[in-house]
């Protein structure tokens, strides 16, 4: 008979008038992987934050091992054996793995790093991790950093683990390794909760799936009895088509030509090296790579937001002529008549003003076109209402500060604003990161609409299955270099995954 690790009974959490979780009752058993699914704003993260001690519930009860407990802080959660691995790692780059893992623990005045490393290696061997305890964090890959985060909570005695989007930045090969580790941990009796939007992974790794909708627990089902369509219908409350359309490019013509692009960051580290490619009007060019391979720098350098050491970025005007963009400020690029939109990776830091509502953020795009002391707010207000309706943005109102919205809803505001400009060049970095499947499908449809109206679309994504279904070609980056450009219609997930780690290098586009 299954033994409950955690029981939640009628858990409720409010933020002012907004009810994030309403009377949620849920059980997580030892020796199982429970997937937590729900649309943006459904309350998944809030629920897990109550378990990990970040939030305190307004109502309800939490039981761990059959005993009612009070969790007021992450320290309380650790004492109960609950550890959460967040999507954004909380590591000190200049320290080693072992130093990060024991940081904050009472290991004596002079910690015995060798003994700690021995214990860490024993944990790694037990569950199938690969780690060098004395390797510096800044020298690690994303998957290695994730390993350190998981070992950090295991070292502290956690037997209930919560993983938030654990595969978001992993290659298919790294995902397979992680899943094998999770299976080993499950076999050892650990209780594991995964928050993810990737339904294929839910079906592969989980034993049961709990679905939240608008802050309420809809159902918990056995994974063996579910499929992608049934899970999506429970999440959304209606049937949703999960087929990503990919219309064939019509008369594709060069729109952006990048030649020998080199970029160096403020510390003198080369972030892009000799990058060359052509983005075609009427196609979607995907960009794949493990996190930190130069995707962000590539798009920001084209948009005039990242310094360029050398190279050319040439925009080909639809009606003839060329515009050289390398080294130009975004305002100068627009002054040349270049029609482009950009969804950056940093939503609030670079894309939106968090203290403004949707209306104010819609005005940012064209506020310099105003000629009067008081700008006309009617068009941006109408656009805000349209984006709110079409993308189903969950907000108390269009003037509610966007920084108070969930990450997924912030992304909807940004993507909606940029697409509404109908540019000739549209660039997006992780446009569906943190978005539920229903909204993601809407974004894919909007990207295809841009493609069909003749725009060149450059799309940086982290889900290879989506890139292979949505894009026409895929540019693969590894360590700031182009390791290959493949035809998305014929390439395989494994092939792209190998290019992401440069196990196999392609010199020419196939």
């Amino acid at each position: 008979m299954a033994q409950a690790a955690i029981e939640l009974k009628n858990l409720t959490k409010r933020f002012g008038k907004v009810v994030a979780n309403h009377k949620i009752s849920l059980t997580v058993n030892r020796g199982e992987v429970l997937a937590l699914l729900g649309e943006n704003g459904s309350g998944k993260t809030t629920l897990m934050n109550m378990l990990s001690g970040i939030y305190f519930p307004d109502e309800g009860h939490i039981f761990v091992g059959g005993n009612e407990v009070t969790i007021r802080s992450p320290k309380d959660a650790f004492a109960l054996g609950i550890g959460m691995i967040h999507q954004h790692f909380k590591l000190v780059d200049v320290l080693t793995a072992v130093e990060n893992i024991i940081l904050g623990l009472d290991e004596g005045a002079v910690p015995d790093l060798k003994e700690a490393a021995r214990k860490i290696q024993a944990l790694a061997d037990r569950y199938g991790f690969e780690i060098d305890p004395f390797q510096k964090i800044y020298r690690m890959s994303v998957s290695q950093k994730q390993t350190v985060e998981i070992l950090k909570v295991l070292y502290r005695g956690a037997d209930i683990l919560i993983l938030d989007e654990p595969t978001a930045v992993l290659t298919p090969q790294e995902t397979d390794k992680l899943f094998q580790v999770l299976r080993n941990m499950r076999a050892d009796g650990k209780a594991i909760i995964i928050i993810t939007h990737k339904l294929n992974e839910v079906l592969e790794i989980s034993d049961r799936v709990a679905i939240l909708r608008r802050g309420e627990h809809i159902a918990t089902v056995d994974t063996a009895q579910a499929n992608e369509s049934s899970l999506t219908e429970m999440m959304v409350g209606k049937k949703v088509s999960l087929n990503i359309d990919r219309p064939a490019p019509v008369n594709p013509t060069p729109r952006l030509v990048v030649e020998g692009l080199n970029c160096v960051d403020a510390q003198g580290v080369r972030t892009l090296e000799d990058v060359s490619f052509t983005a075609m009007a009427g196609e979607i060019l995907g960009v794949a790579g493990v996190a930190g391979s130069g995707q962000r720098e590539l798009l920001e350098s084209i948009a005039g937001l990242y310094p360029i050491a050398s190279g050319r970025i040439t925009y080909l005007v639809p009606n003839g002529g060329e515009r050289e963009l390398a080294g130009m400020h975004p305002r100068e690029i627009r002054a040349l008549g270049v029609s482009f939109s950009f969804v950056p990776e940093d939503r609030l830091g670079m894309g939106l003003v968090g203290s403004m509502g949707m209306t104010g953020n819609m005005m940012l795009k064209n506020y310099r076109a105003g000629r009067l002391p008081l700008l006309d707010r009617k068009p941006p207000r109408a656009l805000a209402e349209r984006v709110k309706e079409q993308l189903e943005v969950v907000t108390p109102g269009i003037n509610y500060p966007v920084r108070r919205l969930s990450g997924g809803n912030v992304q909807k505001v940004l993507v909606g604003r940029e697409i509404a400009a109908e540019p000739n060049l549209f660039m997006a970095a992780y446009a569906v990161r943190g978005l539920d499947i229903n909204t993601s499908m809407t974004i894919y449809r909007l990207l295809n609409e841009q493609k069909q109206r003749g725009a060149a679309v450059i799309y940086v994504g982290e889900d290879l299955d989506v890139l292979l279904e949505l894009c026409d070609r895929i540019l693969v980056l590894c360590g700031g270099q182009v390791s290959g450009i493949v035809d998305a219609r014929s390439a395989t997930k494994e092939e792209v995954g190998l290019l992401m780690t440069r196990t196999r290098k392609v010199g020419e586009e196939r």
Side-chain angles (χ1 to χ4, degrees), residues 345-391:
E345 182 177 2
D346 186 357
R347 303 166 184 175
L348 288 175
M350 187 179 292
L352 301 168
V353 176
S355 59
M356 287 183 175
M358 290 181 63
T359 301
N361 275 288
M362 297 301 155
M363 290 176 67
L364 290 179
K365 188 78 175 175
N366 297 306
Y367 80 99
R368 289 184 181 276
R371 292 289 184 270
L372 300 173
L374 297 177
L375 295 175
D376 184 1
R377 295 178 66 88
K378 288 183 180 179
R381 188 182 299 121
L383 177 57
E385 291 286 5
R386 191 162 75 248
V387 170
K388 178 177 180 290
E389 180 181 349
Q390 290 180 351
L391 298 185

Side-chain angles (χ1 to χ4, degrees), residues 234-349:
M234 281 187 282
M235 284 169 54
V236 180
K238 60 184 179 183
K239 289 186 179 295
V240 177
S241 172
L242 299 178
N243 296 319
I244 300 176
D245 291 329
R246 178 167 49 193
V250 178
N251 298 324
T253 54
R255 176 68 70 239
L256 187 79
V257 179
V258 176
E259 300 173 285
L261 184 63
N262 291 280
C263 294
V264 179
D265 67 14
Q267 285 72 44
V269 177
R270 189 176 293 275
T271 53
L272 291 174
E273 183 177 352
D274 196 27
V275 171
S276 299
F277 67 93
T278 298
M280 311 290 285
E283 77 159 9
I284 299 178
L285 175 67
V287 180
V290 297
S293 294
Q295 304 96 311
R296 176 180 63 82
E297 291 84 357
L298 176 60
L299 265 58
E300 289 183 10
S301 63
I302 295 171
L305 297 165
Y306 194 87
I308 295 171
S310 62
R312 299 189 66 198
I313 302 173
T314 307
Y315 175 84
L316 303 176
V317 181
N319 296 324
E322 298 181 355
R323 301 286 188 272
E324 181 56 39
L325 309 184
M328 286 195 154
H329 187 275
R331 197 177 305 141
E332 296 172 321
I333 294 175
R334 294 195 186 282
L336 289 175
V338 176
S339 170
F340 83 95
S341 287
F342 177 39
V343 177
E345 182 177 2
D346 186 357
R347 303 166 184 175
L348 288 175

